[in-house]
Amino acid sequence: MEAITLVLLAAGSSTRFGMGTRKQWLYQGHKPLWQKVADDFVNAFGFEHVVVTGSADDLDHMRRFGDYAVVAGGATRQASLRAALQEVVTPWVLVNDVARCCLDRIMVERVIAARDQAACIVPVLGVTDTLYLGDDPVDRTQARRIQTPQLSRTDILKRALESPINHTDESSAIRALGESIHFVPGSTHAHKLTHAEDLNHLACLEPPAPETRVGFGIDTHPFEQDKPMKLCGVALESPFGFKAHSDGDVALHAVIDALLGAAGLGDIGEWFPDTDAAYAGADSAPMLEAVIERIRRVGLAVRNVDLTIVAQIPRILPYKDAMRQRLASLLDLPPHRVNLKATTSEKLGFIGREEGVTVHAVASLGYFDWTQEHT
Ligand code: MG
């Protein structure tokens, strides 16, 4: 399939979807939905050129899944498509929305086979319900429901999308340019995933695989006189705190790195640079919450967290319960999935000399189980 590039639009924010994650990140086995759709098309038709759009904060993560070209989408479908087309050099382009996640191979074959018929080949379905426009019934035999994927002549589609008018599909943009479109029969299997309840009607979907991902985090901070001390988001009675750009909550920093590690999302320094004035003296709890939110948005779920605080001083024991509760609440986990241990270094090294504290943390994550979250 040398002459056709597959464009997969997967930059949507899933505002109508109504789950903690976004639909392009619902895991199917071990693949996020966007990768499953791209792979299904490639396996069925042998596309050599594939461009996937993603939201800007997903790009790095998406690029770690395979060798598809991933480009930043825009605020609208049309803006995303325009960005994708900059990468397209083949004479034709087949555009599919990730929401159209169940490939109907026969239908797509019909679309591709008709490619010489017009500037844009469009799968359509008729309307079987009685149809009104405002207060007046209209002739439903003339009505058509437009589906994707549509196959377009790349040069014509590029010109059509220069229009400032926001078109919701390629055929309407190409038609507005005065170019030809050609209809082929669509498919009732190519149902769209818009709302969570649509998950019940999409036979091609499979549940996420059982998965345990482990991440490790470690952090050390020296003490600093006359600074409030915070550990695990809890304020400790202490004449000194931790020297740091932020509030110096060395335990939350270690937990954040463990979570990012398990998720494959880098490290705390990439997320919250200590050169950024926004994090000067910052409370570390919102940083942890932002990381949890990010993990959810890429289809993952935290299973458990365990950490060890290595400190000669301060004494951790009086605060252990409060710290565990606070961590559980920040992580949105029941307390039995959060464990906290404290030890000393037996007076050895910088910890033994009471110069600072080190925290080690381990976290495990699985795929978000979307099959349990809808009816
Ligand atoms: Mg730190």
Side-chain angles (χ1 to χ4, degrees):
M1 200 58 76
E2 258 176 59
I4 302 177
T5 298
L6 172 69
V7 168
L8 179 66
L9 300 174
S13 56
S14 294
T15 44
R16 287 176 290 175
F17 189 55
M19 269 190 192
T21 188
R22 291 164 298 161
K23 55 196 170 191
Q24 59 267 48
W25 289 102
L26 298 179
Y27 269 81
Q28 312 293 302
H30 285 289
K31 293 178 187 179
L33 185 62
W34 68 266
Q35 189 191 21
K36 170 205 152 55
V37 176
D39 286 357
D40 285 355
F41 273 80
V42 167
N43 292 337
F45 296 100
F47 290 107
E48 289 159 42
H49 307 280
V50 179
V51 180
V52 182
T53 65
S55 57
D57 54 0
D58 278 346
L59 298 182
D60 287 345
H61 194 51
M62 290 174 81
R63 287 179 182 133
R64 295 183 184 120
F65 279 80
D67 51 7
Y68 297 127
V70 179
V71 301
T76 61
R77 183 184 186 279
Q78 183 157 318
S80 291
L81 182 52
R82 213 183 275 132
L85 286 176
Q86 290 186 359
E87 307 296 316
V88 177
V89 293
T90 54
W92 282 278
V93 57
L94 184 76
V95 182
N96 192 58
D97 297 279
V98 73
R100 204 75 77 166
C101 53
C102 294
L103 166 66
D104 184 322
R105 186 183 173 135
I106 306 292
M107 180 188 90
V108 177
E109 277 172 1
R110 275 198 294 273
V111 171
I112 292 173
R115 67 181 173 189
D116 292 322
Q117 303 292 313
C120 182
I121 312 300
V122 190
V124 291
L125 288 175
V127 176
T128 51
D129 298 320
T130 297
L131 201 59
Y132 273 60
L133 186 62
D135 293 332
D136 301 311
V138 294
D139 179 6
R140 71 178 173 208
T141 62
Q142 295 296 313
R144 294 184 176 101
R145 286 191 289 150
I146 301 295
Q147 294 187 302
T148 62
Q150 299 175 10
L151 183 69
S152 302
R153 282 268 308 276
T154 306
D155 53 344
I156 295 174
L157 183 58
K158 283 181 178 175
R159 265 195 286 131
L161 293 186
E162 284 166 13
S163 157
I165 300 163
N166 188 36
H167 298 284
T168 53
D169 78 330
E170 298 84 79
S171 72
S172 42
I174 284 176
R175 186 147 183 91
L177 198 67
E179 294 284 349
S180 58
I181 61 175
H182 176 77
F183 296 123
V184 298
S187 164
T188 51
H189 299 296
H191 186 70
K192 237 173 135 177
L193 174 56
T194 306
H195 303 102
E197 71 224 34
D198 298 327
L199 293 166
N200 296 317
H201 308 296
L202 291 160
C204 75
L205 296 184
E206 55 171 312
E211 166 87 338
T212 304
R213 296 171 162 226
V214 174
F216 171 71
I218 183 168
D219 198 25
T220 297
H221 281 271
F223 295 128
E224 181 179 301
Q225 281 295 326
D226 303 321
K227 190 174 174 183
M229 176 174 281
K230 265 201 175 166
L231 260 180
C232 294
V234 172
L236 276 70
E237 289 273 352
S238 167
F240 46 81
F242 291 108
K243 186 174 178 182
H245 185 63
S246 66
D247 67 359
D249 192 326
V250 57
L252 292 192
H253 296 179
V255 169
I256 286 171
D257 261 357
L259 292 167
L260 291 173
L265 288 171
D267 68 26
I268 189 170
E270 294 167 37
W271 282 76
F272 310 104
D274 60 10
T275 49
D276 188 335
Y279 304 115
D283 185 353
S284 298
M287 298 186 203
L288 175 57
E289 287 172 323
V291 166
I292 304 276
E293 169 74 11
R294 182 77 204 133
I295 283 170
R296 284 207 183 109
R297 283 171 59 80
V298 293
L300 300 172
V302 183
R303 300 278 188 252
N304 80 303
V305 168
D306 179 35
L307 63 158
T308 299
I309 301 173
V310 191
Q312 204 69 48
I313 53 165
R315 282 191 73 224
I316 304 299
L317 187 62
Y319 301 98
K320 260 176 115 177
D321 279 346
M323 287 176 173
R324 185 176 181 147
Q325 292 290 342
R326 176 73 173 137
L327 265 180
S329 132
L330 288 170
L331 292 160
D332 198 17
L333 287 176
H336 73 87
R337 291 183 182 272
V338 178
N339 194 59
L340 187 146
K341 308 184 295 298
T343 187
T344 70
S345 72
E346 298 293 347
K347 305 225 159 142
L348 291 173
F350 68 89
I351 294 169
R353 292 192 300 272
E354 303 183 352
E355 293 169 9
V357 165
T358 291
V359 178
H360 303 253
V362 175
S364 77
L365 270 58
Y367 301 135
F368 169 70
D369 187 2
W370 53 268
T371 65
Q372 301 298 309
E373 299 285 330
H374 73 101
T375 50

